[in-house]
Amino acid sequence: MFVFQWVWFIVLLPLPLLLQRFWRYSPENTTQYPYIKLITLKRAQQAFNQSNKLSTSTNQRLRMRLLWLCWLGLVLALMQPQLIEKHVTIQQTGYDLLLAVDLSGSMDNADFFLPTGERINRLQAVKTVLKPFIEKRTGDRIGLILFANQAYLQAPLTLDNLAVADMLARAEIGMAGRDTAIGDAIGLAVKKLRERPAESRVLILLTDGDNNAGILEPQQAATLAKQYDIRVYTVGVGSQENATNSGFNAKSLQEIASSTQGKYYPASDLQALSKVYTDIDTTLHKTTAESRLYLQRTLLYQYPLGLAMLALFGLQGLRLRTE
C-alpha cells in the first residue's frame, strides 16, 4: 500500500503561483533613466534574429517546466512517500518468564563442584546451569531480575534470550548489596508480569538465604503474585551443611511456591540444580501469547528528491547553453 506520511504538505504545491500573483514586480518603484531608442538596431534584430527569438521563447518555457518539476519533487519528498507492506500477524507460543537471581554476599560460598572437581561458588553454579536453560527458551519472553539489598530489573521481558544470558554472565556478587530482599524481588516481578497473558506468567526465584532486607515481606509479595495468577518456582541454592550458616529458610520458600501453585526445589549440588531446571522445563506448559502486528515501511522520498536534483541539473545545463 502506497501512502504519504505527511500528506498535508501538498498545500505547498501552489505556493509559487500565489507568490507570482500577489507579489508581482512593480516598475513604479524603480528609477527611470533616459535612454536612446535605436530603431535601426531593433529592425536589424527583427530582420536577422527571428530564430533567436523563437529559441529564447522555447528556452523560457523549458526553464519554467524544469522549475515546476524541481518544486514538485521537493514537495513530494517532504510528504515522505512510503510503501507499507501487508500486515503480518504472529502468534508466539510460549510464556513470560522472569528469573530472579540472588546476588547477596552468601552467594559467594564455594560449596559446588564442577565435574572436573573444581570448586565454584553458588552464583557461578547458577550461571553454569541457567545459561543452557535460557538458551533453550525459544519463543518465550525472558526477563532478568537481580536482587540483594534491593531488586533491579536487569533485562525486561524479551525474545532475545542470548542477550539475557549475556547479562546474567556479567552479574557479580555485591553489585546490588550484601543482604537479601526476597519480597522486593517478587514484588518487582509482579509489577512486570501483571500486564501479560494470565496463563503464561512465571517467576523462577533463586536464593540461598532468608529475607533480611527490602520493604515488602515475602508472604505479602506471594499474595500479590497469587492475585495476578503468577506461578512462583523457588530454588534453594546451597549445600545442606551450610544452610544454617547462611540463614537459609526453606520453609519460607516452600510457602511462597505452594501459595502460587508453583513448586519448591532444593539444590544442594550442581547435579541437583540441573535437575531442577529440567523439571521446570517439562512441568511448564506453553500458552499462546497475544498476537503481534508488524508494519514493514519502505521510504521512497529519495525518488522525488532525485527528480528535483535532475531538474536542477537541467536548469544549469540550460543556462550554460544560452550564455
Side-chain angles (χ1 to χ4, degrees):
M1 182 174 58
F2 179 80
V3 297
F4 289 100
Q5 185 173 359
W6 308 107
V7 68
W8 56 270
F9 269 121
I10 198 172
V11 300
L12 296 177
L13 201 56
L15 183 60
L17 289 177
L18 296 176
L19 291 176
Q20 185 180 13
R21 179 178 180 84
F22 296 106
W23 189 20
R24 292 186 176 182
Y25 171 75
S26 177
E28 298 177 357
N29 298 328
T30 60
T31 304
Q32 298 293 330
Y33 296 97
Y35 65 95
I36 300 175
K37 183 183 291 186
L38 300 176
I39 301 177
T40 306
L41 180 60
K42 183 177 180 181
R43 290 180 178 178
Q45 288 177 343
Q46 291 176 352
F48 299 104
N49 294 331
Q50 290 293 332
S51 60
N52 288 340
K53 281 190 173 183
L54 294 176
S55 177
T56 301
S57 177
T58 302
N59 289 340
Q60 186 67 18
R61 287 196 301 269
L62 182 57
R63 178 174 176 274
M64 290 302 299
R65 290 174 182 174
L66 289 174
L67 283 172
W68 273 109
L69 190 61
C70 178
W71 181 249
L72 177 64
L74 291 175
V75 172
L76 290 178
L78 283 174
M79 293 169 64
Q80 288 198 16
Q82 52 189 263
L83 188 65
I84 300 180
E85 296 184 9
K86 184 179 179 180
H87 295 189
V88 179
T89 304
I90 297 179
Q91 288 188 337
Q92 291 290 342
T93 301
Y95 48 84
D96 299 303
L97 172 63
L98 269 178
L99 304 172
V101 179
D102 187 356
L103 296 183
S104 62
S106 57
M107 290 291 286
D108 197 27
N109 291 335
D111 51 5
F112 282 83
F113 294 88
L114 292 174
T116 59
E118 179 184 356
R119 183 187 292 267
I120 58 175
N121 64 28
R122 296 172 181 178
L123 180 60
Q124 291 172 331
V126 169
K127 290 180 180 180
T128 301
V129 178
L130 198 53
K131 183 176 183 294
F133 176 80
I134 294 175
E135 292 175 348
K136 290 191 301 181
R137 305 266 55 83
T138 304
D140 299 332
R141 296 167 197 81
I142 302 179
L144 178 63
I145 292 176
L146 302 178
F147 69 96
N149 289 56
Q150 293 178 322
Y152 301 93
L153 182 66
Q154 188 71 2
L157 290 169
T158 176
L159 293 171
D160 191 354
N161 51 5
L162 296 181
V164 177
D166 181 67
M167 291 183 181
L168 176 63
R170 297 172 182 270
E172 298 293 339
I173 294 173
M175 64 185 296
R178 306 294 296 183
D179 295 327
T180 309
I182 296 176
D184 286 3
I186 299 175
L188 181 58
V190 171
K191 182 179 179 181
K192 300 302 177 183
L193 288 172
R194 61 186 179 183
E195 301 298 332
R196 309 304 302 173
E199 296 181 355
S200 63
R201 305 167 185 169
V202 177
L203 169 64
I204 299 179
L205 176 70
L206 303 102
T207 182
D208 69 339
D210 193 10
N211 185 81
N212 57 8
I215 301 175
L216 197 61
E217 290 296 325
Q219 293 305 321
Q220 293 176 333
T223 302
L224 289 175
K226 181 180 179 181
Q227 179 181 347
Y228 288 101
D229 297 323
I230 299 174
R231 288 174 291 173
V232 182
Y233 293 83
T234 57
V235 180
V237 183
S239 64
Q240 298 299 323
E241 291 80 6
N242 292 333
T244 304
N245 297 332
S246 64
F248 186 74
N249 190 343
K251 182 179 179 181
S252 176
L253 296 180
Q254 291 173 353
E255 291 176 352
I256 292 172
S258 62
S259 64
T260 59
Q261 297 182 347
K263 190 175 180 181
Y264 166 71
Y265 297 92
S268 56
D269 54 45
L270 201 61
Q271 185 177 5
L273 192 59
S274 298
K275 291 180 180 179
V276 166
Y277 292 113
T278 302
D279 189 19
I280 291 176
D281 194 22
T282 56
T283 302
L284 298 179
H285 298 286
K286 293 187 176 183
T287 58
T288 302
E290 74 277 8
S291 301
R292 292 191 172 193
L293 297 178
Y294 292 88
L295 295 180
Q296 183 66 37
R297 298 177 182 268
T298 304
L299 299 180
L300 304 174
Y301 68 91
Q302 62 272 21
Y303 296 106
L305 193 59
L307 181 64
M309 293 296 296
L310 289 177
L312 285 177
F313 287 133
L315 286 170
Q316 180 66 12
L318 187 62
R319 187 183 68 84
L320 294 175
R321 193 183 69 174
T322 55
E323 286 183 352

